[in-house]
Amino acid sequence: MSTAAQTSGPLGVPRVHLRCTDSTNERARELALRGAPHGTLVTASRQTAGRGRQGRSWVAPAGRALLCSLVLRGAQRLLPLAAGLAVADVGGPEALVKWPNDVLLDGRKVAGILVEGRPQEGWSVLGIGVNVALRAEDFPPELRERATTLGLSPQELEPTLARLLETLQRWITASEAAVLEAFRGRDALLRQPVRWSGGQGRGAGIDGDGRLVVAIDDGTVSLEAGEVHLEAG
Ligand code: BTN
């Protein structure tokens, strides 16, 4: 009998739902370290210390956002991009992905994705927050220009999760070529101004390794997710 961890299979089984937790990514991480199988899902109605990318926090009102984290086993080099595509599919044909994986509707962020874990040990935690049923007044004034909602009712949270698990299953098992091609079709930064700590230019697509290509005065540079912090505009 093989003792190797299963690296494929259904997503969302087993599932732990918590009314309130600090961060579903933290709970999923603990489960992963204790050997939870591929596809284990943690959801919560409310988080008290939701984590965002680059050390930011992620705040959402109770019962109005999809807050979920999956334990994934096995390596998928383009997982951050694949996850963005899966969430964009839930957002609809107009949804775009701002590299590496902010999902935008009408230029405003509707969902965020945080991939953590230990890929070298063969596991990742894929954390996703989707503003499913937030109302305008749920956003703090400073975010109203930059964040948006799917505008659904709280009853749509579970059906949205079911759709998301389906699209995730499709994209995390897709070929790299398919992920890259689909990402190029939803690339929010294409021809848009891009600024980061090391310079500025215009989005010029993504390369074969999923890096962001930026056209600058004297050519192009490729930016690696995780190493680069994009600045607004
Ligand atoms: C970002 O855009 O900065 C990423 C936000 C990721 C938020 C989700 S909510 C569920 C999961 N648990 C967390 O603590 N973070 C992710």
Side-chain angles (χ1 to χ4, degrees), residues 139-210:
F139 294 102
E142 67 276 13
L143 280 188
R144 284 185 192 153
E145 301 274 286
R146 286 186 286 130
T148 191
T149 168
L150 292 180
L152 301 174
S153 73
Q155 287 69 37
E156 286 296 315
L157 279 170
E158 281 297 308
T160 304
L161 173 63
R163 285 198 292 279
L164 177 60
L165 294 174
E166 273 172 38
T167 58
L168 277 169
Q169 182 69 268
R170 175 148 29 93
W171 283 116
I172 66 177
T173 54
S175 68
E176 290 193 348
V179 170
L180 293 169
E181 185 188 339
F183 194 96
R184 290 179 180 124
R186 289 198 187 258
D187 183 358
L189 291 178
L190 191 62
R191 292 185 284 276
Q192 298 304 309
V194 172
R195 282 199 293 132
W196 71 103
S197 48
Q200 57 182 320
R202 270 187 194 267
I206 52 167
D207 69 13
D209 293 316

Side-chain angles (χ1 to χ4, degrees), residues 29-47:
R29 181 176 167 278
E30 285 172 2
L31 292 173
L33 288 170
R34 298 209 311 253
H38 176 86
T40 297
L41 174 66
V42 181
T43 53
S45 301
R46 186 162 91 85
Q47 294 183 127

Side-chain angles (χ1 to χ4, degrees), residues 22 56 84 113 143 151 172 199 205 229:
D22 50 358
R56 291 187 289 253
I113 295 171
L143 280 188
I172 66 177
H229 180 181

Side-chain angles (χ1 to χ4, degrees), residues 62-220:
R64 293 195 165 265
L66 191 54
L67 304 169
C68 61
S69 300
L70 280 162
V71 175
L72 300 178
R73 298 204 176 266
Q76 217 265 38
R77 216 166 54 106
L78 300 181
L79 175 62
L81 306 191
L85 288 172
V87 178
D89 279 356
V90 170
E94 305 299 315
L96 297 179
V97 187
K98 181 179 167 199
W99 180 91
N101 53 24
D102 284 348
V103 180
L104 310 183
L105 279 176
D106 287 332
R108 292 184 294 166
K109 182 160 165 171
V110 72
I113 295 171
L114 177 65
V115 182
E116 297 182 302
R118 297 190 188 158
Q120 68 284 7
E121 289 177 18
W123 62 270
S124 306
V125 167
L126 171 61
I128 301 177
V130 186
N131 296 338
V132 173
L134 274 76
R135 303 153 296 188
E137 63 267 30
D138 290 321
F139 294 102
E142 67 276 13
L143 280 188
R144 284 185 192 153
E145 301 274 286
R146 286 186 286 130
T148 191
T149 168
L150 292 180
L152 301 174
S153 73
Q155 287 69 37
E156 286 296 315
L157 279 170
E158 281 297 308
T160 304
L161 173 63
R163 285 198 292 279
L164 177 60
L165 294 174
E166 273 172 38
T167 58
L168 277 169
Q169 182 69 268
R170 175 148 29 93
W171 283 116
I172 66 177
T173 54
S175 68
E176 290 193 348
V179 170
L180 293 169
E181 185 188 339
F183 194 96
R184 290 179 180 124
R186 289 198 187 258
D187 183 358
L189 291 178
L190 191 62
R191 292 185 284 276
Q192 298 304 309
V194 172
R195 282 199 293 132
W196 71 103
S197 48
Q200 57 182 320
R202 270 187 194 267
I206 52 167
D207 69 13
D209 293 316
R211 290 179 300 216
L212 180 70
V213 181
V214 183
I216 54 175
D217 286 344
D218 48 358
T220 61

